[in-house]
Amino acid sequence: MVKKMTGRIIKKAQSLFLLLLSPFLLIIERRLYGGLFPEEGSALAPIFIVGAPRTGSTILYQAITNRFKVSYIDNLASLFYRNLRFGIWLSKKKYGDEPHNNFRAEFGNTNKFGGHAPSECGEFWYRWLSRKHHYADSLSVSNRAKRKIRREVLGVSKKYGQPFVFKNLNAGQRLKLIADIFPDAKILFVRRDPVFVVRSILKAREKLGVPPGQWWSVRPVNFRSLLDLGEVEMCAAQVHYLESQIISDIGLFDENNVRTIHYDDFSDDLVASLGSWLGLRKREGAVSPDFRDDERFKLSAEELRSLQEAVSSVGENK
């Protein structure tokens, strides 16, 4: 208990210090990046990994950022989410283009696994977007905010000649906004057998002590109407509506900029083909993760039936 309280105090003190430091870091950013305020087309377009939670998006994010020379927010850079360009510069100074060789995470969180491990860094987006409502369209932020987001992201890409890779699953509920800010963005939509997605969400909720009737992770636009469902049904509905939103909005992007990837197809060859499609350069010394397939025969008949019924039910009542 004392250790946890001490950790929280240190974290709050660190956050306050960086908040006070932010205006000074902005001056440094301007010197580092100069006039790098490119519009779409003058810098490499960003890459967004989207999907429902527990679909394998984290391991794909880790594999891509490890194997290829891309810019991404690691745990060091995430500390400076108010000054993202400075954070990326600091990370580049410390780690260069070395691979992170980390494929561990705790429900997407990699804070325990080193400063260079990929971070979701939701705090960067929460500078402009709601924490409570994850759905956002093109009217959710001001044009001034859109220009600032574009300049920060594309400024990094322009300086380092690398596309910026983001994996924050809330982005799947913000594709209308992303299409407005980054019309040339590349989208990787990760899917998985919904039976195993629901099962994995249930296990995550149990491990984290999330009570029935309380939401966990990404929220579809109608999440409040789903809170009265049974826990299995609520999780199945979560997956269904999150993916439905993505499928509806992904058409805003050029079809040549979109790839839908299935969890059971994850492999070194798949990662290599994605790198080729994206035009990415390899990092030296990068290792590969161990990818696993889902196996229905390992589920008990009762568990499989319950999960299938929940998944089928939400599909029928959509």
Side-chain angles (χ1 to χ4, degrees):
M1 178 65 73
V2 174
K3 187 176 181 180
K4 285 185 178 180
M5 288 183 62
T6 302
R8 289 172 186 165
I9 292 171
I10 293 173
K11 189 173 181 179
K12 286 183 178 180
Q14 181 186 68
S15 180
L16 178 59
F17 172 73
L18 292 174
L19 174 61
L20 296 173
L21 190 63
S22 181
F24 301 99
L25 295 181
L26 181 59
I27 296 172
I28 296 174
E29 280 186 323
R30 288 170 179 165
R31 291 181 178 177
L32 291 172
Y33 288 83
L36 292 178
F37 300 119
E39 293 300 310
E40 189 81 14
S42 65
L44 295 170
I47 301 161
F48 291 87
I49 299 173
V50 301
R54 314 306 297 163
T55 53
S57 56
T58 297
I59 194 69
L60 182 65
Y61 178 40
Q62 291 170 328
I64 289 174
T65 54
N66 196 58
R67 186 163 183 171
F68 302 108
K69 292 184 178 181
V70 294
S71 292
Y72 66 96
I73 305 176
D74 61 15
N75 288 322
L76 174 58
S78 71
L79 295 174
F80 301 91
Y81 63 87
R82 297 183 188 89
N83 302 90
L84 182 64
R85 290 173 296 175
F86 174 82
I88 297 296
W89 172 84
L90 187 63
S91 175
K92 295 285 189 183
K93 291 293 287 184
K94 181 175 177 60
Y95 301 110
D97 269 321
E98 295 177 2
H100 55 75
N101 286 333
N102 174 74
F103 305 109
R104 295 178 293 171
E106 294 180 348
F107 306 110
N109 191 316
T110 64
N111 286 338
K112 295 181 180 179
F113 306 115
H116 201 32
S119 169
E120 294 192 8
C121 196
E123 296 299 326
F124 171 72
W125 300 101
Y126 291 142
R127 289 164 60 188
W128 303 281
L129 297 166
S130 170
R131 292 177 182 273
K132 294 182 178 179
H133 301 282
H134 296 162
Y135 174 80
D137 60 20
S138 60
L139 300 178
S140 297
V141 300
S142 67
N143 288 332
R144 181 180 180 183
K146 292 175 188 175
R147 288 194 296 270
K148 186 169 180 58
I149 296 170
R150 183 184 294 118
R151 286 174 176 178
E152 290 198 24
V153 173
L154 296 183
V156 169
S157 296
K158 185 75 171 179
K159 181 175 179 64
Y160 296 106
Q162 300 172 344
F164 212 133
V165 180
F166 291 96
K167 181 262 169 177
N168 183 293
L169 295 185
N170 293 2
Q173 307 307 295
R174 301 168 178 162
L175 289 176
K176 289 180 180 177
L177 176 62
I178 290 170
D180 191 16
I181 300 175
F182 303 110
D184 293 334
K186 303 290 180 67
I187 308 296
L188 304 182
F189 178 21
V190 186
R191 307 195 72 178
R192 185 182 182 185
D193 183 336
V195 164
F196 285 95
V197 181
V198 174
R199 182 174 185 263
S200 188
I201 292 175
L202 288 167
K203 287 185 174 295
R205 291 173 62 89
E206 180 182 9
K207 185 171 182 179
L208 295 171
V210 181
Q214 182 174 313
W215 201 263
W216 176 76
S217 194
V218 191
R219 300 174 175 180
V221 67
N222 64 336
F223 79 96
R224 293 190 184 281
S225 68
L226 309 177
L227 292 172
D228 292 332
L229 296 174
E231 193 164 19
V232 179
E233 289 73 22
M234 181 174 68
C235 294
Q238 178 182 17
V239 176
H240 173 78
Y241 287 108
L242 289 175
E243 292 195 337
S244 294
Q245 189 72 59
I246 293 170
I247 292 168
S248 173
D249 296 343
I250 212 167
L252 295 168
F253 300 87
D254 188 305
E255 63 180 10
N256 293 318
N257 288 352
V258 176
R259 289 288 186 276
T260 299
I261 306 150
H262 198 278
Y263 178 87
D264 283 339
D265 293 330
F266 282 9
S267 66
D268 287 346
D269 287 343
L270 174 67
V271 174
S273 68
L274 289 174
S276 178
W277 169 60
L278 295 164
L280 304 178
R281 294 170 292 152
K282 292 182 180 179
R283 296 191 198 272
E284 297 297 326
V287 299
S288 299
D290 292 326
F291 296 112
R292 301 177 182 177
D293 293 335
D294 289 326
E295 298 172 322
R296 284 199 176 200
F297 69 87
K298 291 187 176 180
L299 305 183
S300 69
E302 182 179 355
E303 181 182 24
L304 180 59
R305 178 186 55 77
S306 173
L307 292 168
Q308 286 177 323
E309 286 180 356
V311 170
S312 297
S313 175
V314 71
E316 293 169 359
N317 299 323
K318 61 183 178 181

